[in-house]
Amino acid sequence: MDKERLISSFCDFVKIPSESPNDQEFIKYMENLLKKEGANTILDAFGNLLARFEAKNSSSKEPILFCCHADTVRPGVGIQPVVEKEFIRSKDETILGADDKAGIAEVVEMLRSAKKHPPIEFLIVRCEEISPGGAENLDYKLIKSKMGYVIDMDTPDEIVIGGPTYYVFHIIYKGKSAHAGMCPEKGISAIQVATTAISRLKLGRIDLESTSNVGVIKGGQNMNSIPEDLEIYAECRSLDNKKAEKIAEEMTNIFKKAAEEFGAHVSIERTTSLEAYQIASDSKVVQIAVNAMLKNGIKPDIKSIAGGTDATHLNHYGIQTAALGIGARQMHSTDEYAVIEEMVATTKIITTIVEDLA
């Protein structure tokens, strides 16, 4: 592999803005680049990009999938990457965009440097950072692979084999407005209703597999008015699907009961953003990654995580998929940085994977 080419490609990629959902320009850039690398490309109705590469120095007919996402979080416009001795950072007050353009650069370098490989499908999805995203809207009939790897975790030793069920709540409380000084008893405070409910929730880490959180509260108009309207965005998640369902039901009941106590109206929208999955640690897709890491002097860290990746959706659609690291830290913040030698390590790992499969 070519380390300098890897760094150069990554820096080129992050300079192209792709704040979710505005990632079409970068998708088009990658489509043109991958065509030049010899791919046949397809865009599905949602705008996800699938690039197919024929086998190289291999008689294998079974394709392998690699998946990354095109979009970034904000602030991601005007990124200026700065290459230091060991790290790559952004120059100004922006994210770097290593999540997930480091993964894309690593797959591109693997495609360029692998001496042999089976047929490869390279999927770059849109809008992973928001929901519903590209993997949820993907035309899965286009995918021929039966197993694959999402390149979107932190460190190159990670092999993620499980993820959570994830519920998202949008709660709207409707109370009754009144003058806060003249006749507060005529009002119903939506803020008081909401804070009563929130005080009864189990928040943070509930057990080793489960968490819940209230992330956004918006309400009130004037300091001297009883607030009539308030909305809440909350979540819960668990690696155990039944636990997640139980926690979500408990939260729903708490939000409802508080409204009843105060005589307020409540609207609760609860959606399932992710559904828990688990693949066996001795499955083929995991053991291939384990062997590739060991060949490159890296001790594998096989685990399940409470965060979501596109591997969740791929697994539920029958594509056995593990998630691997990209070599980045502090993602989703302006302190984000990429670790150059870890990017190199990931590239070597996935190159070993495809060469072994050849």
Side-chain angles (χ1 to χ4, degrees), residues 177-329:
S177 62
H179 193 288
M182 300 294 291
C183 51
E185 62 279 351
K186 293 183 179 180
I188 300 173
S189 170
I191 289 178
Q192 188 176 12
V193 178
T195 54
T196 298
I198 292 169
S199 70
R200 296 170 179 171
L201 296 173
K202 297 177 182 177
L203 296 177
R205 183 160 300 284
I206 298 171
D207 59 37
L208 291 176
E209 298 178 308
S210 314
T211 63
S212 70
N213 183 56
V214 174
V216 177
I217 302 174
K218 296 190 289 185
Q221 296 284 340
N222 308 298
M223 186 176 67
N224 60 351
S225 298
I226 301 297
E228 184 174 34
D229 301 301
L230 182 138
E231 62 180 328
I232 298 171
Y233 289 90
E235 65 160 62
C236 69
R237 60 181 83 197
S238 179
L239 294 171
D240 184 310
N241 187 61
K242 289 184 178 179
K243 284 185 181 178
E245 290 178 359
K246 182 180 178 182
I247 295 165
E249 194 60 32
E250 288 174 351
M251 293 176 72
T252 300
N253 290 336
I254 288 170
F255 287 126
K256 286 181 177 178
K257 188 174 180 180
E260 292 170 1
E261 289 177 8
F262 286 89
H265 177 268
V266 64
S267 168
I268 302 175
E269 180 184 357
R270 189 175 88 192
T271 56
T272 308
S273 180
L274 300 171
E275 187 176 339
Y277 77 96
Q278 190 77 27
I279 56 179
S281 59
D282 60 354
S283 62
K284 182 179 179 181
V285 70
V286 175
Q287 289 307 307
I288 288 169
V290 167
N291 293 334
M293 288 181 185
L294 293 174
K295 286 182 179 180
N296 286 281
I298 293 173
K299 182 180 178 181
D301 178 16
I302 303 173
K303 60 185 178 181
S304 297
I305 62 167
T309 72
D310 289 324
T312 299
H313 305 290
L314 293 168
N315 276 288
H316 283 303
Y317 276 91
I319 305 165
Q320 195 171 62
T321 307
L324 307 178
I326 60 174
R329 304 289 191 281

Side-chain angles (χ1 to χ4, degrees), residues 43-48 126-127 132-135 137-138:
L43 291 172
D44 72 2
F46 192 73
N48 297 308
R126 296 187 54 232
C127 299
N137 289 283
L138 177 66

Side-chain angles (χ1 to χ4, degrees), residues 12-23:
D12 288 343
F13 295 168
V14 299
K15 291 175 185 176
I16 302 168
S18 58
E19 289 180 340
S20 200
N22 302 312
D23 48 20

Side-chain angles (χ1 to χ4, degrees), residues 43-87:
L43 291 172
D44 72 2
F46 192 73
N48 297 308
L49 172 63
L50 178 65
R52 293 197 181 107
F53 292 84
E54 295 181 357
K56 178 180 179 181
N57 297 326
S58 171
S59 60
S60 174
K61 304 296 184 184
E62 189 69 29
I64 181 72
L65 175 71
F66 290 89
C67 175
C68 300
H69 64 86
D71 60 318
T72 72
V73 296
R74 300 172 186 269
V77 175
I79 296 171
Q80 299 181 58
V82 177
V83 181
E84 302 171 351
K85 184 177 180 180
E86 298 179 18
F87 309 111

